[in-house]
Structures are given as structure tokens and as C-alpha cells.
Amino acid sequence: MKSLFFVAASIPLIAGSPHGPKESSPSASPPVAPSPQAPVSNVTTSAPRGCKALHTDREWHSADLWTKFLPSVAQRVLDPSDPNIIHPDYRVVAPDVEAVQAAVNFARDNNVRLTITNSGHDYLGRNDAPSGLALDVSGFRGVRVEHAFTPTSAGVSAPDARSEPDPDAGAHARAVHAANTTTWRAVTFGVGLTTQELNDALAPSNLFTMGAAHGSVKPAGGYGQMAGHGPFTAKYGLAADQVLEYKVVTPDGQIRVANAVSNPDLFWALRGGGGSTFGVVVQATVKAYPSPPISVLGWWANATQQDVNGTNVSPGFWDAAAYMHSALPDLNAQGVMGYYWMFRDGSMKGVFQIPDSNDDATKLKALWTPILEKMGSIPGMKAPQVKTWQYADFKAYYDARYGSAEGHMDRRLRLRGKEKEKRHGPTPDADAASMPMGILPMDSRLLAAPHLRSANLSQALRAAMPQVPMGTLLGALVSGGKAHEPADDETAVNPAWRKAYVHLICTGAGVWMCDSLRELAPDSGAYGNEASLQQPGWKEAFWGSNYERLAEIKTKYDPEMVLWASPGVGADLMEVVDGRVCRVGGTAGGKNADADADADGVAPAGDNRNLSKGDDSGDILSNFPPPDSI
Ligand SMILES: Cc1cc2nc3c(=O)[nH]c(=O)nc-3n(C[C@H](O)[C@H](O)[C@H](O)COP(=O)(O)OP(=O)(O)OC[C@H]3O[C@@H](n4cnc5c(N)ncnc54)[C@H](O)[C@@H]3O)c2cc1C
Ligand SMILES: *[C@@H]1O[C@H](CO)[C@@H](O)[C@H](O)[C@H]1NC(C)=O
Ligand SMILES: *[C@@H]1O[C@H](CO)[C@@H](O)[C@H](O)[C@H]1NC(C)=O
Ligand SMILES: *[C@@H]1O[C@H](CO)[C@@H](O)[C@H](O)[C@H]1NC(C)=O
Ligand SMILES: *[C@@H]1O[C@H](CO)[C@@H](O)[C@H](O)[C@H]1NC(C)=O
Ligand SMILES: *[C@@H]1O[C@H](CO)[C@@H](O)[C@H](O)[C@H]1NC(C)=O
Ligand SMILES: *[C@@H]1O[C@H](CO)[C@@H](O)[C@H](O)[C@H]1NC(C)=O
């Protein structure tokens, strides 16, 4: 049984209709009168001024009008097995830029709530809403390796969805790498491509990019627009720092080129400001690098006394964990990056890698051995176990550790059917079209060297461990190195990334807050894609000193708040009143009119309140190599 499905709006197009999408420009007059065929004939409401329309409103358009303006639109059908999960009234999978423009124009001119969905991975639920139009951008799928990139106001052309990547680019790139300080090439691709698809497309050219540590996250979607960390971002920089150009449909319906010479303010904002805020990205050009050999070292370090319920774990476990953290900045300076997990039962494992390393992990062993010996010597700890791997290139590494997406999920995580669809967006099988399945409570903090070396760390980690069956602290040593190089305002990325080494996520079913991490690192921030919806002081925490400029750019490009995501830049300009998204200070009578005074508060509650169901913690663990890999 599919989790959610849409049917094509059944009323046929009016033959010879002059209202093609291209005519639906901001200046064209929108349809305003309700159709006699409106599905809701017994309506009593009308949207208050400043509020998005609902299908129960008088002015809501009939299905035939929707179809007339958005020919491939499909209407929501409730899943009888899940009648409480309400998604937008309509969904359109945009096949081209014109269709995106038509959707944006229709939503703006008719006051319809617009959400963008791509891979469907947003843990904070900003890709879904209980009303309006879902714009699915997963159809933009072309890819092309660029031999050179120079920013122009016209931008690079769209890659042909059917074209193959240039097989010579790899050899060329290696030659450039050896002879030239320009150590990167570039790739242009449609926003619908997943990390794994981009990896696969680039492998014949012996290139790779800064995708996620999960094959089905979309590099140019919400991932790269917020920051984007991956297994090698400490060496090459965050995903947002790789972007050379975006093509984006802004809320006025225009397609714009955003690069160093064209709309530089938009270009800056889209590199860190977050998804669903400044426009609909359809295409990206990012840096690509010659694929390196990679060595990997994994370890388990367990307490002598483990306890599934977490209460009777040897206290030395937390001292060992804190000691391990204190070593991370120096390891990172030696080229080490990776991931580690601390489990509630008193077990801990790590998987760390060095790119450009072809020594059968000799260097990794030399670096880790003294640290692991010391961890094992702490009373209450067993001697850690170690395993190493060597991979010839990026694709061999990635496929073994994280992908290929489908095979990975089937074979290694043993997810099936609906379970697999939970967070993996529209499947290739149109019939099984799945949708994002809700918010996953979690909390996180970016930790810099003083926090990792703090005398308070042992206690802070222990207090942060969620005391729930899937309680886990996920550490990602993904910053440092190249990710520290850009100035705080070079891109819109949260400046906390420029000092942090570790992104520490605290997770487990139903856990929203792990306050001890904020207390440990009050001067840092958090990654807005893997964070708590209840994060206090959300603007400062997610964007720091870049927030104010981002808010100005949001108002410039989206004065009518066509796009709204919370947390997101400008989120506090809107609020949810009786299930509607309304302008703060409109006539709907919300409570949040003094939102600015609430700078220390949490981001406005969104209209999507659907929590992900069941045990999604297996999914968050799939962010990283599965347990049987060490
Ligand atoms: C299993 C899993 C593993 C993950 N691993 C990592 C990781 O290794 N590193 C990391 O940094 N993050 C990771 N994440 C978090 C990831 O960054 C977020 O889930 C991110 O929101 C995904 O972006 P998306 O476009 O793929 O997903 P979506 O849910 O489709 O979109 C995310 C947000 O961006 C908006 N958006 C999407 N496309 C566009 C577009 N074209 N234009 C404008 N807005 C758009 C959406 O409206 C939504 O608000 C992981 C998440 C999951 C579930
Ligand atoms: C209109 O709504 C009222 C109250 O909800 C209901 O009793 C009535 O049956 C509805 N009429 C139609 C035609 O749907
Ligand atoms: C370095 O690479 C750039 C971009 O490909 C090229 O224009 C330049 O000529 C190269 N310089 C040298 C010294 O090879
Ligand atoms: C863990 O807690 C559960 C519920 O309180 C209890 O039933 C179970 O026996 C405990 N397990 C152990 C190993 O203590
Ligand atoms: C450590 O504990 C975990 C979880 O209890 C277990 O799966 C793993 O095998 C243990 N490893 C070692 C080396 O003890
Ligand atoms: C440790 O915590 C205490 C009490 O919360 C605080 O006063 C102290 O400044 C902290 N020390 C460090 C190094 O963060
Ligand atoms: C899903 O969200 C909608 C809108 O906020 C809400 O009405 C509904 O109760 C939620 N359902 C579940 C199962 O959380």
C-alpha cells in the first residue's frame, strides 16, 4: 500500500485555452472567480487578509481551473490507511522551467500555500504542508561535466537530461590537478539528481563532488542550500562553498542566474540561507574534484558494563568519550575526518577516513592507536577493536559505505516497501509515488575546539544522551580544514561552521532538546537541517551574523511571502492561525504579532505538524555506515 497518492485532476483542459503557463506571468491577470464546478460547494469561509487560501474558501479554484493553469497537476487523495496525514491539496511534478514558473505564478497570484519537495529528506518537515500546492522538482535530471567555468550573466546552458558525462574529463582533470593550482573542475546538473546519481554520473570522468553521506539526499536541494556536510567536506569545503552558479525561479516567476556576476546577493543567500526561501532552484554548477584513493579505519570502544536501558553503564565510558573528542581537532589537522556514534547502552564506534591516502590505512592506524589505547586504559572500558579498509577511488568508497542508494537500503539496511519510502522521496516507480513522511525530533550543536576539550564535556555528553530505546549521539567530524577557510560572510553558511570541528546530533524517538550541548557551547550554533524545531534563538543559532542580510534579501526577492518555511529566513513574518499560514499583523488575529520581540524564542510553529511515524531512528542511522561495516 503506498503511503500517499495523487490522481491527475480529472477535468480535461479546455481545448485551445489561451492560458498557457507562459502567459501566467506576474502581470497577467489571475483567475479570480470561483468555478461553478468547484468541488467544495458548501463553503462558508474566505481567507482573511494576509492569509493563504484553503480549499474550504469561497475563492478556492475548481479542479478544472487548476488543470488549466498547471496541466500536469494531480489532486490529493487521502490514504485510507493514514487519513490523518494531510499533504497539500495538489501536487505538480515540474518537467521544465516553464512548469516551475507556472506553479510559482499560480501560487502567488491565487494566494496558495506553496511547498517545494525534492528528495523528501527534510527532518524538520519544511517540504510538506497540509494545504496548497506541492511543487516537486525531482524531474530536473541533466548532468554535464564542464571543462572550465567562467561566471556570465547568461549563465551556463541547461545540461541535456540524456547526455552522458564527458569521459575524457577525468584524465584532463588529473593533468590539471598535477600541473595547476586549480585543483577543481565543475559539473552542471539538474536539482533533481541525488548524491548517488551524481556520483555515478561523474565516476567515468574520475571526478566526485561534495554530496551527502547518504545516497538519496539531493546535493543542490535543501542540503547544499543550507550548508551540506559530507565525508570529505573537511578537506574540500562544505557543499554550499562549492557552488559556482545556481539557476533559480524567484517568487516573481522569473528565471534568474545567480553567480558571482549575476544577482550576487541571491547567489550569496542561496549558499547557506536554506531551502524554500529565496526561490525554486532548478540547476546548479558546483566544483568537482579528481577522485582520490581513500583509507578508512573503524573501531568499537565499549564499556565493561553495558546496559540496554542506559542506567548502569560504567561511568568511565563518558570519560573515554570526552577524551576521544579532545583528540579530534589535532586528528583533523592531520587530515582525518569521519563519523562516530555513542549509544545509550555504553557502546561507541567510529569510522574515520583520509582522502588522497593509499597506504592501507597505515597513517590512520598510527594516528588512532595511541588514542584508542588510552581510551581502553580508562577504568570501565574494554580494549577497543579496530578494522581498516583501503579503497581505490571515491566511487568504490562511497558504494561500499553509503550506496548505491537502492541496493544499500535493500541489502544493508533491510528496509522494505513502505518503510523504505519513508524518507526517500518519490521513487522511480511513478505508481509508488511517496512523499515526505514527517518531522523527526532531534537536537544538535556545532562544537569547536574549546568545547571538545572542555572539562565539562564528559558530563555534557552523558546528560545529552537521550534516555529512550534508540538513544544515540551521532558525531560528525566534518568541518575543520577547508571548511574553516571562508570568511564568516563569504557565503551565507552559519559562521559557527567556520570554527566547529564536530556536528553532534542527539537523537532518539521523541527527543527535542539536549540542553547540555547548548550549555557546553553557548557561543556556537547549530546546523539548520539537522536540528531541533525548538531551538531557542533560532535566527542566531542557525545563521548567526549572516541572518540580518539574509532577511533583507528574502524581502527583496519574496516581498509577498510566496515561500515560507519555518525555521527559515523570514519565518517570523508569518504565523499559523487556525490552520492557515498568515502574515503577522494581518487581520487573522494571530498571537505572534510581536514576533521581533521574540528573538530568543523558537521559530514559529509550522503548519506541518506530522511527526514521522514508527521507528525512524533506523533511517537516521542510515546517514552513516551500518553497524556491520565495523
Ligand atoms: C537519511 C538522511 C541522511 C542525511 N545525510 C546528511 C548528510 O550527510 N549531510 C547533510 O548535510 N545533511 C544530511 N541530511 C539532512 C539533509 O541536509 C536535509 O534532509 C535536506 O533538507 C535535504 O535536502 P533535499 O533537497 O534532499 O530534501 P527535501 O526534503 O526535498 O528538501 C529540503 C528542503 O529544501 C527545500 N528544497 C528542496 N529542493 C529545493 C529547490 N530546488 N529549491 C528551493 N528549495 C528546495 C524543500 O522545500 C525543503 O524545505 C540527511 C537527511 C536524511 C533524512
Ligand atoms: C453544508 O454544510 C452543512 C454543515 O456542515 C451540512 O449540514 C450540509 O449538509 C452541507 N450541505 C451540502 C450541500 O454539502
Ligand atoms: C590552469 O587551469 C586553468 C583552467 O583549466 C587554465 O586556464 C590554465 O591555463 C592552467 N594553468 C596552467 C599553468 O596550466
Ligand atoms: C529495561 O527496562 C525495561 C522497561 O523498564 C525492563 O522491562 C527491562 O527488564 C530492562 N532491561 C534490563 C536489561 O535492565
Ligand atoms: C560493542 O557493543 C555493541 C552494542 O552493544 C556490540 O554490537 C558490539 O559487538 C560490541 N563490540 C565490541 C568490540 O565489544
Ligand atoms: C563548566 O560548567 C560550569 C557550570 O555549568 C561553568 O561554570 C564553567 O564555566 C564550565 N567550564 C567550561 C570550561 O566550560
Ligand atoms: C498531520 O498534520 C496535520 C496538520 O497540522 C494535523 O491536522 C494532523 O493531525 C497531523 N497528523 C498526524 C498523524 O500527526
Side-chain angles (χ1 to χ4, degrees), residues 140-144 146 156-157 159 187-194 198 202 209 218-221 245-246 281-287:
F140 287 86
R141 305 188 47 80
V143 55
R144 179 182 66 231
E146 310 282 2
V156 301
S157 61
V187 56
T188 297
F189 61 102
V191 73
L193 281 199
T194 65
L198 197 53
L202 287 172
T209 55
K218 307 245 172 133
E245 179 175 299
Y246 275 127
V281 169
V282 296
Q283 177 183 311
T285 302
V286 307
K287 294 178 186 177

Side-chain angles (χ1 to χ4, degrees), residues 238-595:
L238 295 168
D241 299 335
Q242 313 297 319
V243 181
L244 301 165
E245 179 175 299
Y246 275 127
K247 276 199 182 154
V248 52
V249 174
T250 43
D252 61 359
Q254 299 298 309
I255 174 89
R256 292 179 200 275
V257 173
N259 62 29
V261 301
S262 174
N263 299 302
D265 55 352
L266 189 57
F267 181 48
W268 180 82
L270 286 169
R271 291 175 297 156
S276 259
T277 304
F278 306 98
V280 184
V281 169
V282 296
Q283 177 183 311
T285 302
V286 307
K287 294 178 186 177
Y289 299 91
S291 169
I294 292 152
S295 44
V296 176
L297 179 144
W299 48 257
W300 272 113
N302 291 0
T304 48
Q305 190 171 312
Q306 290 181 235
D307 172 12
V308 285
N309 288 343
T311 38
N312 293 312
V313 170
S314 323
F317 179 77
W318 296 109
D319 294 336
Y323 167 72
M324 190 273 292
H325 282 83
S326 72
L328 295 178
D330 289 342
L331 282 172
N332 184 263
Q334 300 285 324
V336 178
M337 43 211 83
Y339 304 100
Y340 55 93
W341 300 251
M342 290 160 281
F343 300 105
R344 181 194 182 212
D345 74 347
S347 62
M348 168 172 29
K349 67 171 184 166
V351 179
F352 292 86
Q353 60 275 353
I354 298 186
D356 268 333
S357 169
N358 207 2
D359 64 356
D360 289 322
T362 305
K363 183 177 176 187
L364 271 169
K365 268 184 275 188
L367 289 168
W368 270 105
T369 299
I371 295 162
L372 292 167
E373 277 173 1
K374 172 115 188 237
M375 286 165 75
S377 74
I378 290 173
M381 289 298 290
K382 288 190 207 160
Q385 287 191 346
V386 176
K387 200 172 161 185
T388 60
W389 297 263
Q390 179 64 49
Y391 298 100
D393 58 27
F394 176 79
K395 179 147 165 68
Y397 162 83
Y398 197 95
D399 287 355
R401 313 300 304 189
Y402 315 101
S404 63
E406 286 305 301
H408 179 67
M409 284 188 279
D410 288 343
R411 182 167 43 82
R412 310 198 71 158
L413 301 175
R414 297 172 200 93
L415 300 179
R416 297 276 180 273
K418 187 165 180 170
E419 206 187 340
K420 188 169 80 176
E421 284 172 25
K422 261 191 206 152
R423 266 190 196 283
H424 297 91
T427 64
D429 174 5
D431 237 18
S434 59
M435 284 284 282
M437 292 304 287
I439 296 161
L440 190 100
M442 63 170 72
D443 199 0
S444 72
R445 202 71 182 164
L446 292 164
L447 303 179
H451 315 129
L452 297 170
R453 294 177 181 139
S454 166
N456 289 350
L457 182 61
S458 172
Q459 183 49 41
L461 291 173
R462 184 180 190 159
M465 175 60 76
Q467 293 303 327
V468 293
M470 292 298 289
T472 309
L473 299 179
L474 305 180
L477 177 62
V478 289
S479 194
K482 193 87 175 173
H484 283 186
E485 282 179 18
D488 284 0
D489 61 355
E490 188 168 327
T491 63
V493 165
N494 187 347
W497 276 107
R498 309 305 182 193
K499 290 201 174 66
Y501 288 89
V502 164
H503 163 45
L504 190 64
I505 305 172
C506 129
T507 182
V511 173
W512 290 102
M513 298 295 269
C514 305
D515 285 325
S516 65
L517 300 178
R518 266 180 289 277
E519 285 156 20
L520 176 75
D523 52 339
S524 188
Y527 177 35
N529 275 352
E530 294 169 319
S532 175
L533 283 174
Q534 327 253 318
Q535 166 69 50
W538 58 281
K539 296 178 182 176
E540 172 69 22
F542 298 143
W543 289 282
S545 52
N546 286 327
Y547 187 84
E548 213 168 305
R549 186 172 164 204
L550 282 166
E552 283 164 19
I553 296 169
K554 166 70 174 171
T555 303
K556 172 178 168 185
Y557 285 96
D558 192 12
E560 296 172 68
M561 293 299 292
V562 176
L563 291 169
W564 182 69
S566 186
V569 171
D572 54 348
L573 298 177
M574 308 288 277
E575 61 187 327
V576 177
V577 183
D578 300 332
R580 291 179 191 275
V581 175
C582 295
R583 198 78 194 217
V584 169
T587 56
K591 317 148 281 300
N592 197 21
D594 197 17

